[in-house]
Amino acid sequence: QVLEYLKNRHIDLILLDLFMPGISGYDFLKMKSELNVKETPIIVVSAYDSQESVKQSKDLGANEFIAKPFNIHRILKAVHKYLHY
C-alpha cells in the first residue's frame, strides 16, 4: 500500500529500515525514481549496520545511515538537517 501511496503524494522525508515484510529497504531504494521520491531525502535506520550495508544503502541513494539502537537526538538532528522548517 505504501508503494502506491508514494506514487501519488509528495513526501518530505523517508525513514527506512532495510529489512521489512514484503520489500527490502534495498529494493525500495532501487525503485526511488519509479515511486516519485527520487529527490526525497532518505535516512536508513537499521540494526544491520555492517560496512557493506552502509555502503550499499548510500550507493543506492540513501542520504544517511543511522544504526539501531539509536540515540533519539541523532535521529532528530538528521531529520532537522533535511527538513528546513
Side-chain angles (χ1 to χ4, degrees):
Q1 291 174 333
V2 169
L3 298 178
E4 200 58 40
Y5 180 86
L6 290 176
K7 289 181 183 179
N8 302 311
R9 303 267 191 314
H10 170 75
I11 304 296
D12 294 323
L13 176 75
I14 295 172
L15 297 176
L16 178 69
D17 199 344
L18 293 179
F19 296 97
M20 306 175 292
I23 182 173
S24 76
Y26 297 121
D27 289 336
F28 181 90
L29 289 167
K30 291 174 188 174
M31 299 170 56
K32 278 178 68 168
S33 58
E34 298 170 40
L35 297 173
N36 196 30
V37 295
K38 188 174 182 179
E39 302 301 319
T40 304
I42 297 177
I43 301 170
V44 172
V45 182
S46 181
Y48 299 94
D49 64 340
S50 68
Q51 288 182 353
E52 171 79 19
S53 295
V54 174
K55 181 180 180 338
Q56 186 173 0
S57 297
K58 290 188 174 183
D59 287 349
L60 290 171
N63 298 81
E64 290 204 31
F65 191 106
I66 298 175
K68 290 180 185 177
F70 56 83
N71 177 306
I72 190 66
H73 298 291
R74 172 78 169 97
I75 290 281
L76 292 174
K77 183 178 178 180
V79 167
H80 182 71
K81 177 179 175 179
Y82 294 103
L83 297 180
H84 307 284
Y85 296 119

